[in-house]
Amino acid sequence: MFTPKIFYDKETNTHNIHLDELKLYAYADTLPEAVEQILDLAIDYAKDYIERFELFLNVPDRKEQNPYILRLSHCATREEIKQMLLGNAYGTKKGE
């Protein structure tokens, strides 16, 4: 289960989304921009992870990400990935 941290940082005036499970972090002027950024990062990272699977499985802090990458790889659309990572309207996730 992904547990994103979504918040506004008053010091930097940015909207932030942290996906600690994948060690991915997005910072943007608006929340929709941060959402698109974290989606792009997650998609690109999952693709790279799968392409270099053996390498990532041999790195301890990356090996533990395997279940999360597998879940992402089963998503057919960007919207499904968004739903899995952030839930509807950045709130409730499927199954909650």
Side-chain angles (χ1 to χ4, degrees):
M1 170 78 72
F2 289 95
T3 54
K5 293 178 183 79
I6 302 171
F7 61 95
Y8 182 75
D9 185 334
K10 291 179 184 176
E11 219 175 280
T12 61
N13 294 320
T14 59
H15 293 268
N16 299 273
I17 302 175
H18 294 187
L19 283 178
D20 293 333
E21 296 87 354
L22 299 178
K23 296 178 177 27
L24 297 176
Y25 310 98
Y27 311 94
D29 291 334
T30 68
L31 184 55
E33 289 173 333
V35 167
E36 291 306 311
Q37 188 179 98
I38 203 70
L39 290 175
D40 289 342
L41 289 169
I43 290 166
D44 290 346
Y45 183 66
K47 184 185 222 179
D48 185 39
Y49 192 106
I50 290 167
E51 287 174 0
R52 299 187 302 153
F53 188 69
E54 285 188 39
L55 171 69
F56 283 96
L57 282 183
N58 288 307
V59 178
D61 70 327
R62 301 299 178 171
K63 181 179 181 176
E64 65 192 31
Q65 296 173 340
N66 189 40
Y68 298 103
I69 296 298
L70 288 176
R71 291 179 101 188
L72 283 176
S73 71
H74 284 77
C75 293
T77 66
R78 187 176 180 89
E79 191 59 37
E80 283 182 41
I81 293 170
K82 181 178 175 181
Q83 177 71 30
M84 179 177 291
L85 296 178
L86 306 173
N88 290 326
Y90 326 123
T92 308
K93 293 183 185 176
K94 271 187 183 173
E96 287 186 345

